[in-house]
Amino acid sequence: MDLLQSSYAPEDASSPEESAADSSPDSSPLRLPSKSAAPAVDDTALALSAAASASRPLDPSLHLVAFNPTADQLWAPIVGPQHPHAPISSASGNRNHKLGHVEDAAVLPFLFDEQYNTFHRFGYASDPSGLHIVGDAQTQAPEPDTVYNLAPSEHKRRRLLAKGDNQEEPLPPEARNPASEDWVLHNKQSPWAGKKEAPPAELTEEQKQYAEAHAAKKAEKEARAEGKVERAEVVVKSTFHGKEERDYQGRSWITPPKDAKATNDHCYIPKRCVHEWVGHTKGVSAIRFFPKYGHLLLSASMDCKIKIWDVLESRTCMRTYMGHSKAVRDISFSNDGTKFLSAGYDRNIQYWDTETGQVISTFSTGKVPYVVKLNPDEDKQHILLAGMSDKKIVQWDMKSGQITQEYDQHLGAVNTITFVDNNRRFVTSSDDKSLRVWEFGIPVVIKYISEPHMHSMPSIALHPNSNWLAAQSLDNQILIYSTKERFQLNKKKRFAGHIVAGYACQVNFSPDGRFVMSGDGEGSCWFWDWKSCRRFKTLKCHNGVCIGCEWHPLETSKVATCGWDGVIKYWD
């Protein structure tokens, strides 16, 4: 062991004491110097190449990079100097894209599509600044047309120009006459249109009839367009279906029975259907009981007819009134029931005699009337109010036939007119989702009710005590408004559960005011308790929409309903 240590002892050991100290067991072991067996490498060239690589960009043709390039080398331009105002470093520059800095152009998507389609259609477009025209701008105006503001005829002309097929000659004047050979050859409706062979020398009888009918129809259309000819008026007629118009005492068939009176002031909910009136060929839009007595029931239908039915005795159709050329929208009796109003989609309002079926007078403003009402005062039964589709409420004096007032504050079609406050005021609802209160005869709104939560209200009914209004709202609920000075919404009373969204289902009260009823879009009739607002009963009445419901004025447990299935049902 001593020999082994002496062989590795350093040559410059100065004394034996130092050697003995180093070889003592308390001293640290001897550390051998590290040696590498690899030959020495000259890294001067490698350092020079790395320095040179750091100063030049990468060659894009290289598939292998022998060092770690910096960000400046990765983003350096391949050819040419760096842009002085666009720093290369992504950390210090304004780069927002992998290819550099991209600026957003303030061009709306619609304007971009317009110019894009215009360029690909016509070969020119406006640049984003709007100051220059790009493309074939020599033949264009300073503000050329785009694909969105050209008329269809201009599109067709340009398309023909592009195809080189604009050598089409105009039709000769003779080609407009269906009885001529030119019309047979040139008109698209003719079987010989576009063909070279000539038609038969003489037209057949069928061709002659067609030519005459076509010529007459075209002449009438041109005359109507010029305002020379008005539409042919509908023949007003009425048919009586009863046994006799007067009885042995000379009383008319509309005279109420002498013993007709209310037997009980307490109303009850009906349970079963006791009769069905079937006579209309289309849906029934409105029904009205004869005032005070209810022995007759008036109905308006989409088949352009109005019928009146016996309720008490025979329960048959008594008379049919035919005077409208389109569906009847609304009907309204006078106070004594001897006359009634009807409003149709043919834009006419007709004032009928209930007994004879004659039209006393006709009123029209050229717009569709949605609701018609007579002033309930006995001394003002000659004053007619109509809510029109042109946002106006028009007032006529039926004695003179003149328009005496117009109420035009609404922003949509007027749906209802309801008189309140002893007929001194009336409330109207409209498609503009608002209620407006008017003084009769004064075209100034004294109360305007419009809230963000409100929907359109196509039907309004007055409570028998005249203190409340029930408004059918199209968000499937019935809202209650006070008829006092402030016309406030009663938030504690709200009737819901039925589905009326999209339909002008009628709302109504029982004669004693204990029940609220309404039709719905699924053919049911709903009954609610007025005090508790709870649903009392639901009757499945019609196949389709139950649009109208009326409580009999004297028979306190009987209700009439109508629907779009064309049937009127009587419930007890």
Side-chain angles (χ1 to χ4, degrees):
M1 191 68 180
D2 295 337
L3 181 60
L4 190 61
Q5 289 181 354
S6 64
S7 65
Y8 284 101
E11 297 179 355
D12 56 347
S14 58
S15 63
E17 291 82 2
E18 294 179 359
S19 300
D22 293 337
S23 61
S24 64
D26 298 331
S27 62
S28 62
L30 180 65
R31 297 184 181 277
L32 299 178
S34 62
K35 294 183 180 181
S36 176
V41 178
D42 187 7
D43 57 353
T44 305
L46 182 61
L48 291 176
S49 63
S53 301
S55 61
R56 71 173 185 269
L58 292 177
D59 187 0
S61 62
L62 293 178
H63 296 281
L64 182 65
V65 180
F67 62 96
N68 291 331
T70 63
D72 293 342
Q73 288 177 280
L74 290 174
W75 298 107
I78 297 175
V79 178
Q82 178 184 351
H83 193 279
H85 302 293
I88 296 177
S89 176
S90 60
S92 60
N94 58 352
R95 181 181 302 276
N96 60 3
H97 192 266
K98 64 181 182 179
L99 299 179
H101 180 74
V102 180
E103 295 182 359
D104 293 332
V107 181
L108 296 176
F110 172 80
L111 298 179
F112 176 81
D113 293 341
E114 182 181 27
Q115 298 302 327
Y116 177 84
N117 295 327
T118 302
F119 184 80
H120 285 274
R121 184 69 177 273
F122 302 137
Y124 64 87
S126 175
D127 65 352
S129 65
L131 303 177
H132 305 286
I133 302 299
V134 180
D136 187 13
Q138 288 78 13
T139 59
Q140 303 299 330
E143 295 183 0
D145 293 322
T146 64
V147 291
Y148 293 157
N149 60 7
L150 280 181
S153 58
E154 183 65 17
H155 277 286
K156 182 178 180 180
R157 188 185 69 81
R158 295 195 181 193
R159 189 165 54 250
L160 294 175
L161 282 175
K163 292 181 178 180
D165 190 20
N166 199 26
Q167 292 80 18
E168 187 177 343
E169 298 180 359
L171 295 177
E174 294 80 6
R176 300 179 182 178
N177 184 10
S180 64
E181 293 184 2
D182 293 328
W183 183 90
V184 176
L185 290 174
H186 293 91
N187 197 281
K188 295 181 180 180
Q189 300 178 2
S190 171
W192 292 279
K195 297 182 180 180
K196 295 182 180 180
E197 62 270 14
E202 294 184 0
L203 299 178
T204 63
E205 291 296 330
E206 184 178 358
Q207 290 175 344
K208 290 181 180 179
Q209 294 177 2
Y210 176 79
E212 292 174 359
H214 180 84
K217 188 175 181 180
K218 187 174 182 181
E220 182 182 357
K221 185 176 181 181
E222 292 177 354
R224 187 183 297 116
E226 296 176 0
K228 296 180 180 179
V229 178
E230 296 181 357
R231 293 184 178 180
E233 295 184 358
V234 180
V235 178
V236 178
K237 60 180 181 178
S238 177
T239 304
F240 182 73
H241 305 288
K243 294 182 179 179
E244 52 186 3
E245 296 191 15
R246 296 187 177 274
D247 60 2
Y248 68 98
Q249 292 183 345
R251 293 177 299 185
S252 172
W253 62 273
I254 67 168
T255 304
K258 293 183 178 180
D259 58 345
K261 61 181 179 179
T263 57
N264 192 353
D265 294 336
H266 196 78
C267 292
Y268 301 93
I269 301 295
K271 298 180 179 180
R272 59 189 178 90
C273 179
V274 296
H275 189 73
E276 291 185 5
W277 287 291
V278 180
H280 289 292
T281 58
K282 293 185 180 180
V284 181
S285 55
I287 53 174
R288 301 287 184 267
F289 274 111
F290 196 90
K292 298 180 182 179
Y293 299 100
H295 63 290
L296 297 174
L297 179 67
L298 190 69
S299 64
S301 173
M302 300 177 189
D303 60 1
C304 314
K305 297 178 182 178
I306 304 168
K307 291 179 179 287
I308 192 165
W309 314 81
D310 184 18
V311 176
L312 298 180
E313 297 178 0
S314 63
R315 292 183 177 176
T316 58
C317 180
M318 300 299 295
R319 185 178 283 277
T320 301
Y321 308 88
M322 295 167 284
H324 289 280
S325 60
K326 292 185 178 180
V328 185
R329 163 86 184 196
D330 190 31
I331 48 178
S332 178
F333 269 115
S334 61
N335 285 353
D336 55 3
T338 58
K339 300 174 181 61
F340 68 91
L341 291 166
S342 65
Y345 283 100
D346 57 356
R347 305 180 182 182
N348 290 331
I349 302 171
Q350 293 181 342
Y351 191 44
W352 298 82
D353 186 287
T354 309
E355 180 182 355
T356 62
Q358 296 179 351
V359 174
I360 301 173
S361 54
T362 302
F363 309 92
S364 178
T365 62
K367 303 297 179 181
V368 179
Y370 281 0
V371 57
V372 286
K373 278 287 178 66
L374 289 174
N375 191 305
D377 288 339
E378 292 294 339
D379 57 343
K380 297 177 182 177
Q381 284 283 284
H382 62 282
I383 297 179
L384 160 66
L385 272 76
M388 314 300 289
S389 60
D390 63 346
K391 316 170 189 177
K392 295 182 181 179
I393 302 150
V394 184
Q395 177 178 317
W396 275 279
D397 185 351
M398 292 191 293
K399 292 182 178 179
S400 62
Q402 301 295 324
I403 296 177
T404 58
Q405 194 61 265
E406 283 188 355
Y407 310 84
D408 58 353
Q409 296 293 317
H410 274 294
L411 303 177
V414 182
N415 293 323
T416 64
I417 299 175
T418 308
F419 281 88
V420 296
D421 195 13
N422 295 325
N423 306 326
R424 292 179 296 180
R425 300 172 180 172
F426 61 93
V427 182
T428 59
S429 66
S430 169
D431 285 345
D432 60 4
K433 304 179 183 179
S434 69
L435 294 177
R436 297 174 195 252
V437 185
W438 313 76
E439 289 278 357
F440 178 75
I442 303 175
V444 179
V445 176
I446 63 173
K447 182 68 176 181
Y448 171 61
I449 305 172
S450 180
E451 299 292 342
H453 63 79
M454 290 177 60
H455 288 68
S456 179
M457 300 177 182
S459 176
I460 291 181
L462 183 65
H463 194 275
N465 62 13
S466 302
N467 293 331
W468 305 98
L469 285 175
Q472 181 81 270
S473 179
L474 287 188
D475 58 348
N476 300 326
Q477 61 180 344
I478 299 174
L479 304 178
I480 305 300
Y481 289 89
S482 170
T483 59
K484 301 301 180 182
E485 293 295 328
R486 303 185 64 180
F487 288 90
Q488 284 186 332
L489 173 66
N490 189 339
K491 298 181 180 180
K492 295 182 179 180
K493 286 191 179 295
R494 175 179 169 271
F495 304 91
H498 57 321
I499 306 297
V500 294
Y503 304 103
C505 296
Q506 181 182 345
V507 61
N508 217 322
F509 287 97
S510 60
D512 61 353
R514 292 180 58 242
F515 300 106
V516 181
M517 68 173 176
S518 168
D520 74 346
E522 298 178 351
S524 300
C525 187
W526 291 64
F527 297 87
W528 294 271
D529 184 71
W530 169 252
K531 289 186 178 180
S532 64
C533 299
R534 294 181 179 178
R535 181 182 67 88
F536 202 90
K537 194 172 186 179
T538 302
L539 294 175
K540 178 62 178 177
C541 300
H542 298 274
N543 297 323
V545 182
C546 178
I547 200 70
C549 54
E550 285 274 337
W551 208 297
H552 197 282
L554 296 182
E555 300 285 345
T556 54
S557 63
K558 293 185 178 179
V559 172
T561 61
C562 65
W564 283 2
D565 56 357
V567 180
I568 304 170
K569 294 188 178 182
Y570 197 42
W571 302 81
D572 189 4

